Structures are given as C-alpha cells and as structure tokens.
Amino acid sequence: MLHCHLQPGASNDEITGIHGERLKIRVSAAPTGGKANDQLIRFLSREFGVGKASVQIQRGLTGRQKTVAIVAPRKLPPTAELFKGSLGSCD
C-alpha cells in the first residue's frame, strides 16, 4: 500500500518528496474526468514494473490524498528511499 498526495496538472510526472506523511506525486493530467487518477495508475505501473491492472486506488478517488495498492511490484523507483513513511501494509 502506498499513501500518496497527488498534484494534478503538473508539467511532468514525478515523485517529488514527502507531503506530511504521504509521498507527493505530480502528474501532468488534469484533475477532471478521472484523468489524473488514470495518469497516476500509468505512472506507478511504470515505476514499479507492473501492469496497470496491478495498481488500484483503494481510497481517495475524488481527492488528492490517496491510498494505492500495488500488487507484486517487480522493482522500486529510484526515489524509493522517500517511501519509508508512506508505505503501509495490506492488513
């Protein structure tokens, strides 16, 4: 589980650091019509080396604070050291 703070409408897709106790992720898509959520799923699937079906938004579909499940990640992004406080368990 990944606890993140999403910033839609950014110039590019990236993990930028920590926002409170959540990982701050910027995506280029607009926050309308679920576009930012779709872009977040595409971005995280690339970063973790999994298919899009393996990335699911569990909480926060309409807000910036999201909890995302990533099933069986194959790799960690280069910025993985930032995740320590943002990772949760599946319990």
Side-chain angles (χ1 to χ4, degrees):
M1 300 297 269
L2 181 65
H3 303 289
C4 59
H5 175 84
L6 186 65
Q7 180 185 344
S11 57
N12 53 21
D13 301 336
E14 62 184 345
I15 298 170
T16 61
I18 300 295
H19 181 84
E21 292 186 14
R22 294 177 176 268
L23 188 65
K24 185 173 182 180
I25 301 174
R26 299 174 58 185
V27 295
S28 57
T32 57
K35 293 176 186 174
N37 286 338
D38 293 341
Q39 185 66 24
L40 175 64
I41 290 170
R42 281 193 298 274
F43 174 68
L44 291 177
S45 70
R46 284 191 311 266
E47 291 291 299
F48 285 90
V50 297
K52 291 184 284 187
S54 296
V55 180
Q56 301 170 347
I57 299 174
Q58 300 290 308
R59 291 188 190 123
L61 280 173
T62 60
R64 290 179 179 235
Q65 307 296 319
K66 300 188 184 296
T67 301
V68 181
I70 302 169
V71 179
R74 294 187 180 158
K75 66 178 186 172
L76 289 176
T79 55
E81 69 276 357
L82 298 174
F83 296 8
K84 291 178 185 171
S86 303
L87 292 174
S89 67
C90 295
D91 333 296

